[in-house]
Amino acid sequence: MKPEVELYDTTLRDGSQGEGINFSVMDKLRIAEKIDAFGIHYIEGGWPGSNPKDIEFFAEAKRKKFKHARLAAFGSTRRKGVPVENDDQVRLLLDANTPVVTIYGKTWLLHVTEVLRATPDENLAMIADTIRFLKDHNKFVIYDAEHAFDGYKDDPEYGLATWQAAEKAGADFVVLCDTNGGSLSTEIGKITAVASKKLNIKVGIHTHNDTGLGVANALAAIEAGATHVQGTINGYGERTGNCNLTSVIPNIALKMKKRCLPDSSMSKLKELSQFVDEIANIRHDPRQPWVGEAAFAHKGGTHVNAVQKVVRSYEHIDPASIGNTRRVLISDLAGRSNIVMKAHELGFKISNDTPELKEILTRIKQLEHEGYEFEAAEGSLALVIRKILKHQEPPFKIEGYHVSMRRDRAISVCQASVKVQVDGITEHTIAEGDGPVNALDQALRAALVKFYPSLKKVQLTDYKVRILDSAGGTGARTRVLIESTDGKNEWGTVGVHDNIIEASLQALVDSIEYALMRK
Ligand SMILES: [Zn+2]
């Protein structure tokens, strides 16, 4: 089925220019495979003329078979005064051996005369020569018109002449780029409409997010006739980033109702977004539109009550359609409905008239008042609910512990000993670690694994500390959030105390108790 709007991913090129983003060749290959499986039509792998890592990427990528995507190498028009066949940077584009080559060239006279120091005609020749040369080598050529909007606003006649030069030389697409990211959606719409009318080839759009309009501007261009959109997963890119594909895709497919992806792909959007963040070693942004953890989270009591009755009442779309899930947040604002929904999510059978509900609610509010927060600590929350519902003894009890730290020349050593009791048997263990919490974790685990071998799989993955009352300095209360995994599921637990070690131990104990409760 032919798409109405084609998707072009530049995470590996424009996206990798973002601050804090650094992909290895292996990272790039894994991302390319994932994006291909998702169904995106073009993957821009890099700029072979700008760095050796990208040359290596294309050498490796040659061996891969992509199912949906066509690989593109990125470069620029030939240099001023150099015949195209002698331009090394253009040669490297052929060497990349990709079916698609994307080159950028100048629309804006300011850049032609002041930056390139070329004449307007020479710039037109640079565009035409390069495209013709690539077409002669059987490439599918996408022409990125750099500063297309700023250039057109400055001199419409010359701007149009550069795009027409690309068309005449045989480009398959002209992509209008808002390189500085400063245009308004109305301007983007108007200028894209002119290009769509005056050119006989397809028009694409490439936007940046400098004014927070990256996605909106791409949509404005599509409304005005563009049929190809360029962007990056999670909006990575220079400065404030590129058009975020993770937002623009569901807007095109679910709001504008234009075909752009295979039907089965849309529900994998959140997974794709998380995957790319994980490879880039960036924490997934909970407030990211569509795919963030908070995108369908309900906190206010009246919202939750309404969502329980009619899901549509406070949600713009079914979260499952893009692979996200509805979440109900627990907080001071929460009424009974929140607890009931959250308890259901955690596997408890509970309803609005369960007698223990009031006690659970009171207990949660009291703990929140003391500084606990359960939004990311569903493990601890489940234990609070269970304690009240089931009146069960915990699977183990800590009878005592000791933590010490010493410095031996340059090396600091932490040691912890823990005394735990399981079914009347007391176990005493000692362990070392790189920090007091790590040592405590090791000692506790060593003691419990004898009774509960399944704990071998449980691992601590993240540890976050927040000081609750900063005015109190070191005497303030400390909240510790611990994230754990058993290889399949992740969960969070929380501890609060004046003493950071005590707060950490609470969260550790909850993490292990929750792991035992789930199995
Ligand atoms: Zn760009």
Side-chain angles (χ1 to χ4, degrees):
M1 215 174 17
K2 265 193 86 128
E4 290 167 86
V5 178
E6 284 189 345
L7 306 168
Y8 183 105
D9 180 279
T10 179
T11 307
L12 303 179
R13 203 270 307 168
D14 229 356
S16 72
Q17 289 173 22
E19 214 175 313
I21 310 273
N22 194 1
F23 295 131
S24 68
V25 172
M26 182 56 70
D27 291 340
K28 291 182 112 188
L29 288 166
R30 287 186 67 197
I31 292 173
E33 278 183 327
K34 189 85 177 175
I35 289 172
D36 171 55
F38 183 71
I40 283 179
H41 310 100
Y42 301 91
I43 299 171
E44 191 172 270
W47 185 349
S50 84
N51 67 77
K53 193 159 80 180
D54 287 359
I55 295 178
E56 198 187 328
F57 167 81
F58 286 112
E60 294 288 333
K62 256 181 234 172
R63 282 181 238 135
K64 302 249 172 234
K65 268 219 154 57
F66 293 107
K67 258 199 313 227
H68 297 104
R70 290 206 278 169
L71 202 58
F74 180 86
S76 80
T77 52
R78 69 161 172 84
R79 274 176 298 148
K80 182 183 68 170
V82 177
V84 64
E85 60 276 13
N86 295 343
D87 190 305
D88 291 343
Q89 184 265 145
V90 177
R91 272 272 150 216
L92 285 169
L93 285 172
L94 294 180
D95 293 346
N97 219 341
T98 53
V100 180
V101 171
T102 302
I103 54 155
Y104 79 92
K106 304 285 185 193
T107 297
W108 197 356
L109 268 180
L110 172 83
H111 271 263
V112 175
T113 55
E114 303 299 316
V115 182
L116 284 183
R117 302 198 181 257
T119 65
D121 281 344
E122 201 166 1
N123 179 50
L124 294 178
M126 285 157 65
I127 296 169
D129 290 354
T130 317
I131 292 173
R132 217 168 276 128
F133 178 78
L134 293 167
K135 287 309 292 180
D136 286 347
H137 286 81
N138 296 318
K139 298 293 177 188
F140 185 91
V141 179
I142 296 177
Y143 177 67
D144 273 8
E146 196 190 28
H147 299 116
F149 299 94
D150 295 319
Y152 185 90
K153 278 183 264 179
D154 199 35
D155 187 335
E157 212 174 295
Y158 185 73
L160 188 61
T162 63
W163 309 337
Q164 280 167 334
E167 176 183 60
K168 211 171 142 209
D172 294 276
F173 265 109
V174 169
V175 178
L176 308 179
C177 304
D178 188 27
T179 309
N180 295 357
S183 300
L184 285 171
S185 302
T186 42
E187 299 170 317
I188 298 270
K190 267 184 217 152
I191 296 169
T192 306
V194 171
S196 306
K197 207 173 127 211
K198 299 270 184 182
L199 298 173
N200 298 309
I201 52 172
K202 287 187 187 164
V203 172
I205 181 73
H206 175 117
T207 57
H208 280 260
N209 198 36
D210 295 79
T211 56
L213 292 174
V215 170
N217 284 351
L219 296 178
I222 291 169
E223 239 152 27
T227 56
H228 165 114
V229 60
Q230 301 193 344
T232 61
I233 305 297
N234 298 327
Y236 295 172
E238 258 174 297
R239 309 185 303 275
T240 59
N242 282 57
C243 167
N244 187 346
L245 283 180
T246 335
S247 294
V248 91
I249 290 172
N251 275 307
I252 295 168
L254 304 175
K255 301 288 176 178
M256 295 173 109
K257 310 240 185 270
K258 284 182 185 282
R259 213 169 40 247
C260 65
L261 271 181
D263 286 341
S264 57
S265 289
M266 201 52 87
S267 61
K268 296 185 189 126
L269 187 68
K270 186 185 179 202
E271 191 205 327
L272 173 69
S273 161
Q274 282 176 312
F275 176 88
V276 175
D277 265 353
E278 217 159 284
I279 301 279
N281 202 13
I282 288 175
R283 271 211 154 250
H284 200 243
D285 178 4
R287 285 198 303 275
Q288 198 177 156
W290 300 92
V291 295
E293 280 298 314
F296 299 92
H298 302 284
K299 192 163 177 177
T302 53
H303 285 215
V304 173
N305 195 287
V307 164
Q308 260 189 328
K309 290 176 189 143
V310 188
V311 168
R312 228 159 24 92
S313 61
Y314 278 100
E315 284 176 358
H316 70 98
I317 203 130
D318 177 7
S321 61
I322 38 143
N324 210 340
T325 40
R326 180 172 309 119
R327 276 169 65 232
V328 174
L329 302 183
I330 300 304
S331 79
D332 271 347
L333 294 171
R336 288 169 169 256
S337 310
N338 287 37
I339 302 289
V340 172
M341 264 175 95
K342 191 79 197 178
H344 273 273
E345 253 177 59
L346 291 167
F348 293 100
K349 287 195 183 78
I350 200 171
S351 71
N352 271 318
D353 35 56
T354 301
E356 289 91 346
L357 188 57
K358 191 160 186 268
E359 195 187 338
I360 293 171
L361 206 62
T362 312
R363 178 77 185 132
I364 288 169
K365 291 206 168 174
Q366 182 202 340
L367 287 169
E368 283 182 342
H369 183 71
E370 287 170 25
Y372 286 79
E373 204 183 292
F374 295 105
E375 282 165 6
E378 66 278 31
S380 295
L381 179 68
L383 295 172
V384 170
I385 298 174
R386 192 180 73 144
K387 223 164 264 169
I388 295 170
L389 279 184
K390 302 207 169 158
H391 316 284
Q392 262 174 7
E393 284 294 304
F396 60 90
K397 264 189 212 143
I398 307 261
E399 294 195 327
Y401 73 92
H402 175 87
V403 178
S404 67
M405 201 205 124
R406 65 172 199 279
R407 173 104 147 240
D408 210 343
R409 283 179 208 152
I411 303 159
S412 59
V413 184
C414 287
Q415 202 179 61
S417 68
V418 181
K419 213 192 231 179
V420 279
Q421 202 206 82
V422 181
D423 291 333
I425 304 166
T426 301
E427 189 67 40
H428 191 175
T429 47
I430 299 175
E432 286 189 348
D434 356 307
V437 177
N438 182 241
L440 206 51
D441 180 43
Q442 300 294 334
L444 188 58
R445 233 167 258 274
L448 289 171
V449 96
K450 292 174 192 152
F451 302 96
Y452 306 109
S454 66
L455 288 179
K456 267 188 218 142
K457 279 193 224 134
V458 177
Q459 256 184 25
L460 206 144
T461 53
D462 207 349
Y463 174 82
K464 286 187 214 123
V465 178
R466 193 170 309 163
I467 307 302
L468 295 178
D469 177 21
S470 52
T474 49
R477 307 211 88 191
T478 306
R479 173 166 64 216
V480 168
L481 182 74
I482 282 181
E483 282 173 3
S484 313
T485 180
D486 58 6
K488 262 199 243 149
N489 301 292
E490 290 80 42
W491 62 90
T493 50
V494 62
V496 175
H497 201 273
D498 298 342
N499 178 328
I500 185 171
I501 302 289
E502 190 69 37
S504 306
L505 184 67
Q506 279 180 19
L508 275 176
V509 165
D510 271 12
S511 164
I512 293 173
E513 229 184 291
Y514 184 67
L516 293 172
M517 174 188 135
R518 286 177 61 99
K519 71 173 173 59

